[in-house]
mmCIF file of all heavy atoms in Angstrom:
data_model
loop_
_atom_site.group_PDB
_atom_site.id
_atom_site.type_symbol
_atom_site.label_atom_id
_atom_site.label_comp_id
_atom_site.label_asym_id
_atom_site.label_seq_id
_atom_site.Cartn_x
_atom_site.Cartn_y
_atom_site.Cartn_z
ATOM 1 N N LEU A 1 0.848 -1.223 -0.001
ATOM 2 C CA LEU A 1 0.049 0.004 0.024
ATOM 3 C C LEU A 1 0.957 1.347 0.061
ATOM 4 O O LEU A 1 0.622 2.236 -0.623
ATOM 5 C CB LEU A 1 -0.895 0.023 1.227
ATOM 6 C CG LEU A 1 -2.054 -0.925 1.289
ATOM 7 C CD1 LEU A 1 -2.838 -1.053 2.458
ATOM 8 C CD2 LEU A 1 -3.084 -0.703 0.059
ATOM 9 N N ILE A 2 1.983 1.207 0.724
ATOM 10 C CA ILE A 2 2.832 2.290 0.894
ATOM 11 C C ILE A 2 3.480 2.647 -0.576
ATOM 12 O O ILE A 2 3.586 3.753 -1.068
ATOM 13 C CB ILE A 2 3.957 2.091 1.869
ATOM 14 C CG1 ILE A 2 3.412 2.211 3.259
ATOM 15 C CG2 ILE A 2 5.054 3.192 1.744
ATOM 16 C CD1 ILE A 2 4.313 1.802 4.387
ATOM 17 N N SER A 3 3.873 1.502 -1.262
ATOM 18 C CA SER A 3 4.470 1.583 -2.605
ATOM 19 C C SER A 3 3.539 2.185 -3.570
ATOM 20 O O SER A 3 3.799 3.041 -4.460
ATOM 21 C CB SER A 3 4.952 0.174 -3.080
ATOM 22 O OG SER A 3 5.988 -0.328 -2.094
ATOM 23 N N ILE A 4 2.311 1.658 -3.515
ATOM 24 C CA ILE A 4 1.207 2.304 -4.433
ATOM 25 C C ILE A 4 1.024 3.669 -4.306
ATOM 26 O O ILE A 4 0.929 4.518 -5.110
ATOM 27 C CB ILE A 4 -0.065 1.488 -4.183
ATOM 28 C CG1 ILE A 4 0.199 -0.039 -4.806
ATOM 29 C CG2 ILE A 4 -1.251 2.161 -5.022
ATOM 30 C CD1 ILE A 4 -1.021 -0.917 -4.478
ATOM 31 N N ALA A 5 0.993 4.151 -2.938
ATOM 32 C CA ALA A 5 0.739 5.543 -2.584
ATOM 33 C C ALA A 5 1.913 6.424 -3.112
ATOM 34 O O ALA A 5 1.668 7.490 -3.621
ATOM 35 C CB ALA A 5 0.510 5.757 -1.131
ATOM 36 N N ALA A 6 3.080 5.854 -2.969
ATOM 37 C CA ALA A 6 4.331 6.606 -3.330
ATOM 38 C C ALA A 6 4.281 6.790 -4.767
ATOM 39 O O ALA A 6 4.645 7.824 -5.389
ATOM 40 C CB ALA A 6 5.500 5.901 -2.938
ATOM 41 N N PHE A 7 3.889 5.709 -5.559
ATOM 42 C CA PHE A 7 3.846 5.740 -7.016
ATOM 43 C C PHE A 7 2.876 6.795 -7.500
ATOM 44 O O PHE A 7 3.102 7.582 -8.440
ATOM 45 C CB PHE A 7 3.458 4.358 -7.609
ATOM 46 C CG PHE A 7 3.222 4.360 -9.000
ATOM 47 C CD1 PHE A 7 4.345 4.346 -9.899
ATOM 48 C CD2 PHE A 7 1.999 4.382 -9.689
ATOM 49 C CE1 PHE A 7 4.154 4.396 -11.224
ATOM 50 C CE2 PHE A 7 1.830 4.424 -10.976
ATOM 51 C CZ PHE A 7 2.860 4.351 -11.798
ATOM 52 N N ASN A 8 1.655 6.660 -6.876
ATOM 53 C CA ASN A 8 0.527 7.677 -7.266
ATOM 54 C C ASN A 8 0.944 9.052 -7.006
ATOM 55 O O ASN A 8 0.673 10.033 -7.882
ATOM 56 C CB ASN A 8 -0.716 7.308 -6.557
ATOM 57 C CG ASN A 8 -1.376 6.072 -7.001
ATOM 58 O OD1 ASN A 8 -1.114 5.695 -8.099
ATOM 59 N ND2 ASN A 8 -2.239 5.494 -6.098
ATOM 60 N N GLN A 9 1.658 9.323 -5.848
ATOM 61 C CA GLN A 9 2.121 10.684 -5.657
ATOM 62 C C GLN A 9 3.195 11.134 -6.543
ATOM 63 O O GLN A 9 3.141 12.241 -7.015
ATOM 64 C CB GLN A 9 2.705 10.727 -4.135
ATOM 65 C CG GLN A 9 3.101 12.132 -3.765
ATOM 66 C CD GLN A 9 3.680 12.114 -2.326
ATOM 67 O OE1 GLN A 9 3.722 11.180 -1.703
ATOM 68 N NE2 GLN A 9 3.941 13.349 -1.847
ATOM 69 N N SER A 10 4.062 10.259 -6.876
ATOM 70 C CA SER A 10 5.159 10.625 -7.854
ATOM 71 C C SER A 10 4.612 10.918 -9.225
ATOM 72 O O SER A 10 5.037 11.707 -10.031
ATOM 73 C CB SER A 10 6.304 9.730 -7.827
ATOM 74 O OG SER A 10 5.829 8.381 -8.344
ATOM 75 N N ALA A 11 3.611 10.104 -9.617
ATOM 76 C CA ALA A 11 2.994 10.117 -10.936
ATOM 77 C C ALA A 11 2.248 11.468 -11.129
ATOM 78 O O ALA A 11 2.093 11.931 -12.211
ATOM 79 C CB ALA A 11 2.089 8.940 -11.169
ATOM 80 N N SER A 12 1.621 11.946 -10.010
ATOM 81 C CA SER A 12 0.878 13.178 -10.133
ATOM 82 C C SER A 12 1.669 14.505 -9.896
ATOM 83 O O SER A 12 1.251 15.576 -10.092
ATOM 84 C CB SER A 12 -0.312 13.098 -9.190
ATOM 85 O OG SER A 12 0.208 13.075 -7.781
ATOM 86 N N ALA A 13 2.931 14.369 -9.432
ATOM 87 C CA ALA A 13 3.765 15.474 -9.109
ATOM 88 C C ALA A 13 4.262 16.149 -10.389
ATOM 89 O O ALA A 13 4.548 15.388 -11.368
ATOM 90 C CB ALA A 13 4.928 15.008 -8.240
ATOM 91 N N PRO A 14 4.290 17.408 -10.421
ATOM 92 C CA PRO A 14 4.812 18.021 -11.654
ATOM 93 C C PRO A 14 6.298 17.852 -11.837
ATOM 94 O O PRO A 14 7.186 18.230 -11.164
ATOM 95 C CB PRO A 14 4.547 19.597 -11.220
ATOM 96 C CG PRO A 14 3.566 19.649 -10.159
ATOM 97 C CD PRO A 14 3.889 18.297 -9.481
ATOM 98 N N VAL A 15 6.630 17.086 -12.806
ATOM 99 C CA VAL A 15 7.944 16.604 -13.184
ATOM 100 C C VAL A 15 8.343 17.182 -14.395
ATOM 101 O O VAL A 15 7.622 17.208 -15.481
ATOM 102 C CB VAL A 15 8.072 15.166 -13.269
ATOM 103 C CG1 VAL A 15 9.519 14.718 -13.640
ATOM 104 C CG2 VAL A 15 7.720 14.554 -11.880
ATOM 105 N N SER A 16 9.469 17.829 -14.543
ATOM 106 C CA SER A 16 9.925 18.346 -15.844
ATOM 107 C C SER A 16 11.452 18.148 -15.978
ATOM 108 O O SER A 16 12.141 17.670 -14.980
ATOM 109 C CB SER A 16 9.649 19.888 -15.846
ATOM 110 O OG SER A 16 10.456 20.652 -14.954
ATOM 111 N N ASP A 17 12.030 18.548 -17.060
ATOM 112 C CA ASP A 17 13.381 18.461 -17.303
ATOM 113 C C ASP A 17 14.035 19.757 -16.921
ATOM 114 O O ASP A 17 15.068 20.169 -17.545
ATOM 115 C CB ASP A 17 13.778 18.167 -18.715
ATOM 116 C CG ASP A 17 13.238 16.704 -19.056
ATOM 117 O OD1 ASP A 17 13.257 15.839 -18.158
ATOM 118 O OD2 ASP A 17 12.920 16.466 -20.179
ATOM 119 N N LEU A 18 13.525 20.446 -15.879
ATOM 120 C CA LEU A 18 14.119 21.790 -15.522
ATOM 121 C C LEU A 18 15.496 21.755 -14.932
ATOM 122 O O LEU A 18 15.599 21.138 -13.717
ATOM 123 C CB LEU A 18 13.004 22.376 -14.625
ATOM 124 C CG LEU A 18 13.273 23.882 -14.171
ATOM 125 C CD1 LEU A 18 13.428 24.857 -15.394
ATOM 126 C CD2 LEU A 18 12.006 24.359 -13.304
ATOM 127 N N GLN A 19 16.431 22.265 -15.405
ATOM 128 C CA GLN A 19 17.817 22.263 -14.849
ATOM 129 C C GLN A 19 18.501 23.522 -15.148
ATOM 130 O O GLN A 19 18.238 24.144 -16.133
ATOM 131 C CB GLN A 19 18.625 21.101 -15.513
ATOM 132 C CG GLN A 19 18.063 19.806 -15.249
ATOM 133 C CD GLN A 19 19.048 18.712 -15.938
ATOM 134 O OE1 GLN A 19 20.298 18.832 -15.861
ATOM 135 N NE2 GLN A 19 18.333 17.771 -16.612
ATOM 136 N N TYR A 20 19.209 24.079 -14.120
ATOM 137 C CA TYR A 20 20.020 25.314 -14.201
ATOM 138 C C TYR A 20 21.478 25.039 -14.051
ATOM 139 O O TYR A 20 21.883 24.002 -13.381
ATOM 140 C CB TYR A 20 19.481 26.255 -13.157
ATOM 141 C CG TYR A 20 18.020 26.582 -13.122
ATOM 142 C CD1 TYR A 20 17.210 25.963 -12.165
ATOM 143 C CD2 TYR A 20 17.475 27.380 -14.011
ATOM 144 C CE1 TYR A 20 15.917 26.223 -12.183
ATOM 145 C CE2 TYR A 20 16.103 27.727 -13.950
ATOM 146 C CZ TYR A 20 15.325 27.065 -13.206
ATOM 147 O OH TYR A 20 13.948 27.301 -13.024
ATOM 148 N N THR A 21 22.285 25.921 -14.486
ATOM 149 C CA THR A 21 23.676 25.785 -14.222
ATOM 150 C C THR A 21 24.020 26.608 -13.087
ATOM 151 O O THR A 21 23.198 27.432 -12.518
ATOM 152 C CB THR A 21 24.551 26.311 -15.498
ATOM 153 O OG1 THR A 21 24.220 27.734 -15.656
ATOM 154 C CG2 THR A 21 24.222 25.587 -16.792
ATOM 155 N N SER A 22 25.190 26.479 -12.498
ATOM 156 C CA SER A 22 25.640 27.193 -11.341
ATOM 157 C C SER A 22 25.572 28.814 -11.551
ATOM 158 O O SER A 22 25.504 29.484 -10.502
ATOM 159 C CB SER A 22 26.999 26.795 -10.829
ATOM 160 O OG SER A 22 27.924 26.991 -11.901
ATOM 161 N N ASP A 23 25.715 29.236 -12.749
ATOM 162 C CA ASP A 23 25.705 30.659 -12.997
ATOM 163 C C ASP A 23 24.389 31.256 -13.497
ATOM 164 O O ASP A 23 24.248 32.282 -14.137
ATOM 165 C CB ASP A 23 26.841 31.032 -14.078
ATOM 166 C CG ASP A 23 26.709 30.279 -15.376
ATOM 167 O OD1 ASP A 23 25.919 29.447 -15.397
ATOM 168 O OD2 ASP A 23 27.432 30.704 -16.277
ATOM 169 N N GLY A 24 23.370 30.429 -13.267
ATOM 170 C CA GLY A 24 21.972 30.922 -13.482
ATOM 171 C C GLY A 24 21.425 30.706 -14.885
ATOM 172 O O GLY A 24 20.335 31.145 -15.141
ATOM 173 N N LYS A 25 22.164 30.024 -15.685
ATOM 174 C CA LYS A 25 21.614 29.756 -17.026
ATOM 175 C C LYS A 25 20.565 28.545 -17.007
ATOM 176 O O LYS A 25 20.760 27.716 -16.061
ATOM 177 C CB LYS A 25 22.769 29.535 -18.080
ATOM 178 C CG LYS A 25 23.638 30.565 -18.310
ATOM 179 C CD LYS A 25 24.757 30.238 -19.249
ATOM 180 C CE LYS A 25 25.761 31.339 -19.466
ATOM 181 N NZ LYS A 25 25.172 32.487 -20.090
ATOM 182 N N MET A 26 19.781 28.397 -17.959
ATOM 183 C CA MET A 26 18.849 27.232 -17.975
ATOM 184 C C MET A 26 19.264 26.192 -18.990
ATOM 185 O O MET A 26 19.718 26.770 -20.249
ATOM 186 C CB MET A 26 17.453 27.824 -18.262
ATOM 187 C CG MET A 26 16.449 26.609 -18.294
ATOM 188 S SD MET A 26 14.766 27.262 -18.600
ATOM 189 C CE MET A 26 13.845 25.665 -18.587
#
């Protein structure tokens, strides 16, 4: 049940390929 809940939470969370460099570039 914990695994299923964790999967559902991760599946609904806003996930993107959003990454920045140390100097503020995207």
Side-chain angles (χ1 to χ4, degrees):
L1 288 174
I2 291 172
S3 298
I4 292 173
F7 173 80
N8 289 335
Q9 183 177 4
S10 62
S12 61
V15 178
S16 70
D17 294 332
L18 184 56
Q19 297 180 45
Y20 307 101
T21 62
S22 58
D23 57 351
K25 296 180 184 294
M26 181 180 177

